[in-house]
Short mmCIF file of all heavy atoms in Angstrom, two decimals:
data_model
loop_
_atom_site.label_atom_id
_atom_site.label_comp_id
_atom_site.label_asym_id
_atom_site.label_seq_id
_atom_site.Cartn_x
_atom_site.Cartn_y
_atom_site.Cartn_z
N ARG A 98 133.98 107.36 113.33
CA ARG A 98 133.21 108.46 113.91
C ARG A 98 133.77 108.89 115.25
O ARG A 98 133.57 110.01 115.68
CB ARG A 98 131.75 108.06 114.08
CG ARG A 98 131.54 106.91 115.05
CD ARG A 98 130.08 106.66 115.30
NE ARG A 98 129.90 105.67 116.34
CZ ARG A 98 128.73 105.43 116.91
NH1 ARG A 98 127.67 106.10 116.54
NH2 ARG A 98 128.62 104.51 117.84
N ARG A 152 152.46 87.18 127.48
CA ARG A 152 153.14 88.46 127.70
C ARG A 152 153.84 88.92 126.43
O ARG A 152 153.83 90.12 126.10
CB ARG A 152 154.13 88.34 128.86
CG ARG A 152 153.47 88.16 130.22
CD ARG A 152 154.48 88.30 131.34
NE ARG A 152 155.44 87.19 131.33
CZ ARG A 152 155.27 86.05 132.00
NH1 ARG A 152 154.18 85.87 132.73
NH2 ARG A 152 156.18 85.11 131.95
N GLY A 160 153.30 96.63 119.75
CA GLY A 160 154.32 97.00 118.78
C GLY A 160 153.79 97.09 117.36
O GLY A 160 154.12 98.02 116.61
N VAL A 161 152.94 96.13 116.99
CA VAL A 161 152.34 96.15 115.65
C VAL A 161 151.43 97.37 115.51
O VAL A 161 151.45 98.06 114.48
CB VAL A 161 151.54 94.85 115.41
CG1 VAL A 161 150.69 94.97 114.14
CG2 VAL A 161 152.48 93.67 115.31
N GLY A 173 150.10 108.06 105.57
CA GLY A 173 148.71 107.64 105.45
C GLY A 173 147.94 108.30 104.33
O GLY A 173 147.32 107.62 103.51
N LEU A 177 146.46 106.30 100.96
CA LEU A 177 145.04 106.22 100.65
C LEU A 177 144.70 106.91 99.33
O LEU A 177 143.88 106.42 98.55
CB LEU A 177 144.21 106.81 101.79
CG LEU A 177 144.30 106.08 103.14
CD1 LEU A 177 143.39 106.75 104.16
CD2 LEU A 177 143.91 104.61 102.99
N TYR A 179 146.77 107.39 96.80
CA TYR A 179 147.36 106.62 95.68
C TYR A 179 146.51 105.41 95.33
O TYR A 179 146.30 105.10 94.15
CB TYR A 179 148.78 106.19 96.06
CG TYR A 179 149.45 105.35 94.99
CD1 TYR A 179 149.98 105.96 93.85
CD2 TYR A 179 149.55 103.97 95.11
CE1 TYR A 179 150.58 105.20 92.85
CE2 TYR A 179 150.16 103.21 94.13
CZ TYR A 179 150.68 103.83 93.00
OH TYR A 179 151.27 103.06 92.03
N LEU A 180 146.01 104.71 96.36
CA LEU A 180 145.18 103.53 96.13
C LEU A 180 143.71 103.87 95.92
O LEU A 180 142.90 102.96 95.67
CB LEU A 180 145.31 102.57 97.32
CG LEU A 180 146.72 102.00 97.56
CD1 LEU A 180 146.72 101.14 98.81
CD2 LEU A 180 147.18 101.18 96.35
N ASN A 181 143.38 105.16 96.05
CA ASN A 181 141.99 105.62 95.88
C ASN A 181 141.06 104.87 96.85
O ASN A 181 139.99 104.38 96.46
CB ASN A 181 141.53 105.42 94.44
CG ASN A 181 140.27 106.21 94.13
OD1 ASN A 181 139.98 107.22 94.78
ND2 ASN A 181 139.49 105.75 93.17
N SER A 183 138.93 105.12 100.45
CA SER A 183 138.36 106.00 101.46
C SER A 183 138.50 105.38 102.83
O SER A 183 138.65 104.15 102.97
CB SER A 183 136.89 106.29 101.16
OG SER A 183 136.11 105.10 101.32
N HIS A 210 143.13 77.74 115.32
CA HIS A 210 144.02 78.69 114.64
C HIS A 210 145.15 79.14 115.55
O HIS A 210 146.26 79.40 115.09
CB HIS A 210 143.21 79.90 114.16
CG HIS A 210 142.23 79.57 113.08
ND1 HIS A 210 142.59 79.35 111.78
CD2 HIS A 210 140.87 79.38 113.13
CE1 HIS A 210 141.53 79.07 111.05
NE2 HIS A 210 140.47 79.08 111.85
N LEU A 228 143.34 97.32 117.72
CA LEU A 228 144.01 98.47 118.34
C LEU A 228 144.21 99.59 117.32
O LEU A 228 143.71 100.70 117.50
CB LEU A 228 145.34 98.02 118.95
CG LEU A 228 145.24 97.07 120.15
CD1 LEU A 228 146.61 96.59 120.58
CD2 LEU A 228 144.53 97.74 121.32
N ALA A 244 149.90 119.57 113.98
CA ALA A 244 151.20 119.81 114.61
C ALA A 244 151.99 120.80 113.74
O ALA A 244 152.61 120.41 112.74
CB ALA A 244 151.95 118.49 114.76
N MET A 249 155.53 120.40 118.83
CA MET A 249 154.24 119.72 118.77
C MET A 249 154.37 118.35 118.10
O MET A 249 153.73 117.38 118.52
CB MET A 249 153.22 120.58 118.02
CG MET A 249 152.84 121.86 118.75
SD MET A 249 151.67 122.90 117.84
CE MET A 249 150.14 121.98 118.06
N ALA A 256 153.31 111.09 122.68
CA ALA A 256 151.98 110.65 123.08
C ALA A 256 151.64 109.30 122.46
O ALA A 256 151.08 108.41 123.13
CB ALA A 256 150.94 111.69 122.66
N SER A 271 146.62 91.96 132.33
CA SER A 271 145.35 91.23 132.25
C SER A 271 145.55 89.73 132.16
O SER A 271 144.64 88.95 132.46
CB SER A 271 144.56 91.70 131.02
OG SER A 271 145.18 91.28 129.81
N LEU A 285 134.35 80.80 128.83
CA LEU A 285 133.43 81.92 128.99
C LEU A 285 134.04 83.21 128.49
O LEU A 285 133.37 84.00 127.80
CB LEU A 285 133.04 82.05 130.47
CG LEU A 285 132.11 83.23 130.81
CD1 LEU A 285 130.78 83.09 130.07
CD2 LEU A 285 131.88 83.30 132.33
N ARG A 288 133.92 83.28 124.74
CA ARG A 288 132.59 83.55 124.20
C ARG A 288 132.22 85.02 124.37
O ARG A 288 131.64 85.64 123.47
CB ARG A 288 131.55 82.67 124.90
CG ARG A 288 131.76 81.18 124.70
CD ARG A 288 131.67 80.79 123.22
NE ARG A 288 131.77 79.35 123.05
CZ ARG A 288 132.91 78.68 122.89
NH1 ARG A 288 134.06 79.35 122.87
NH2 ARG A 288 132.92 77.37 122.73
N LEU A 293 131.54 90.53 122.07
CA LEU A 293 131.94 91.94 122.03
C LEU A 293 132.54 92.29 120.67
O LEU A 293 132.26 93.36 120.11
CB LEU A 293 132.95 92.22 123.14
CG LEU A 293 132.43 92.15 124.58
CD1 LEU A 293 133.58 92.30 125.56
CD2 LEU A 293 131.38 93.22 124.82
#
Side-chain angles (χ1 to χ4, degrees):
R98 64 174 187 168
R152 291 190 292 270
V161 170
L177 295 182
Y179 178 77
L180 297 176
N181 196 25
S183 67
H210 293 284
L228 293 174
M249 293 178 75
S271 70
L285 178 61
R288 298 299 184 271
L293 292 174

